[in-house]
Amino acid sequence: MLVAPDWSVLDSLARRDLPPILWEVGNQSLAAHWLDHAVQQGCKQVTLYCPDRPAAVRAALEGGAYWSVELSLLPVSPPLGLVAEMMDRMPACDPGDASPMDGASLVRWWLALNLAWLAKRDPERVHLDTQREPQGWLGPRVTLAPGIKLVPPYWIGAGTLIESGCTIGPGALVGPGCVLSSDVHLQHALVAGGTFVGAHLDVHNKLLLGATLLDPMSGGRADLTDDFIAAAMQQQPQSTPMRERAWALLLWLPAQLLALGAGAAISREVLLPGGGTLRLSTGSRGSLLARRARWLGAVVAGRLRLVGILPRSEIAPQVPEETRTLLAHTPPGVFSLADLHGSHTPEEPDELAHALYQAALPQNDRLVRRSLLKLCLTHPAP
């Protein structure tokens, strides 16, 4: 019996889309560590009480058949008096002194969890990483330039590139697929996977999640806007197919000509899968092709789909969690199923239903593609 703590209301500093049991602890999520532990203990069945975003947990764990356990996930709090393991720590470790009480202490809990994992890694149970020295670990395909100082304990995830002059450790964890420019210093720090770290950046007692820097001691958060300081390098879950890029190129010139009469452009930041954003400018008059002419460049660059759900700046908080998760992981596009039904902005009442239908059944994209010419010439009602 396992119980996932419901700390969603505390996540005011990190502001992650995932519940804490899916946050990375070293090379995998906390939940995965617990399932590994269950296998090592010879368990055949695991019941997980998970009141915090159960859809996201189910999606993350349903591919773990290799755990050889039968997992039952119950999206409710456990009954009173149930004897179960609370997943607020690493398996086989003593509970912490206190549970998190706010956003800063929740991030401190996360950093402490990673440092505890690093300190207790067992070489006999590590199969992919290489132990360079006691408590010093390198993942596969890690590239280290000359002149790097590594101070254990540290862990550097697979496929990471570190340039010269960097000091890593003590107590540093660098997730997979990162790039650290020259003269970066990490101490008692966590760098999330897929992060670019610019030259001469010192990260001490902090966490760097893409372009977001968290200070768990002061409760400070900085969303960095300059890519040369730090940035997320995560690819979108679904890249733009080359055929869509080719169609965008064909439409680009006529779209730009039509855009001359599209009126004043309205610019806004929209959400992308993986946590990124994109600024799009939309005209106020003419056909959809004329109004969205400026979007086509993002399709050619691979940042936007030609066909997808309509881009949105936010997902309303009253939307159910499973719906939010689905929308957050569905690539947006220039033309959508909602456009076919007369809903041309996410603010229109019926657009959400069409977006969910398209996100849940990707075969609807074919219907949109077959109607592409019609959509290009569609004039939204005033």
Side-chain angles (χ1 to χ4, degrees), residues 5 45 77 102 189 195 227 249 315 347:
Q45 293 182 324
S77 298
D102 53 24
T195 296
D227 290 347
L249 276 173
I315 302 175
E347 291 73 31

Side-chain angles (χ1 to χ4, degrees), residues 132-370:
R132 180 186 174 105
E133 56 194 312
Q135 293 192 322
W137 300 90
L138 299 181
R141 305 180 309 282
V142 168
T143 302
L144 302 177
I148 293 174
K149 184 178 181 181
L150 300 176
V151 184
Y154 61 83
W155 173 72
I156 302 172
T160 287
L161 168 64
I162 302 181
E163 298 182 358
S164 61
C166 293
T167 300
I168 310 300
L173 298 99
V174 182
C178 292
V179 173
L180 275 61
S181 296
S182 59
D183 196 35
V184 170
H185 300 270
L186 306 179
Q187 182 177 350
H188 299 290
L190 170 65
V191 177
T195 296
F196 167 78
V197 185
H200 313 300
L201 190 65
D202 289 347
V203 184
H204 292 175
N205 297 307
K206 294 179 178 62
L207 298 88
L208 186 60
L209 316 179
T212 300
L213 184 67
L214 305 179
D215 185 340
M217 305 309 295
S218 68
R221 172 188 171 107
D223 293 309
L224 308 174
T225 57
D226 294 320
D227 290 347
F228 66 86
I229 299 177
M233 301 190 303
Q234 296 175 339
Q235 296 181 346
Q236 296 183 29
Q238 300 181 39
S239 60
T240 304
M242 292 307 298
R243 66 179 181 275
E244 292 195 7
R245 299 188 192 196
W247 274 106
L249 276 173
L250 289 173
L251 291 170
W252 189 85
L253 181 57
Q256 303 313 308
L257 294 174
L258 291 171
L260 296 176
I266 301 172
S267 181
R268 61 172 180 162
E269 292 277 347
V270 299
L271 304 174
L272 295 176
T277 61
L278 175 66
R279 181 165 291 278
L280 294 177
S281 296
T282 309
S284 56
R285 295 198 305 266
S287 66
L288 288 179
L289 182 60
R291 296 180 184 217
R292 301 173 184 174
R294 297 171 181 84
W295 300 14
L296 295 174
V299 179
V300 175
R303 301 200 68 199
L304 192 67
R305 296 289 294 267
L306 187 65
V307 173
I309 65 172
L310 287 179
R312 59 195 70 235
S313 299
E314 62 179 356
I315 302 175
Q318 64 267 26
V319 172
E321 191 59 43
E322 293 197 20
T323 298
R324 294 173 60 85
T325 301
L326 180 60
L327 291 176
H329 289 83
T330 302
V334 178
F335 300 107
S336 73
L337 184 67
D339 287 319
L340 279 177
H341 293 275
S343 296
H344 304 297
T345 68
E347 291 73 31
E348 296 182 37
D350 295 334
E351 188 276 339
L352 179 60
H354 299 309
L356 288 175
Y357 191 57
Q358 185 174 2
L361 299 172
Q363 56 266 38
N364 283 302
D365 290 354
R366 291 196 296 268
L367 176 61
V368 180
R369 284 192 288 268
R370 288 197 298 265

Side-chain angles (χ1 to χ4, degrees), residues 44-59:
K44 298 301 181 183
Q45 293 182 324
V46 172
T47 300
L48 170 58
Y49 290 89
C50 183
D52 182 10
R53 288 163 281 190
V57 176
R58 183 178 290 109

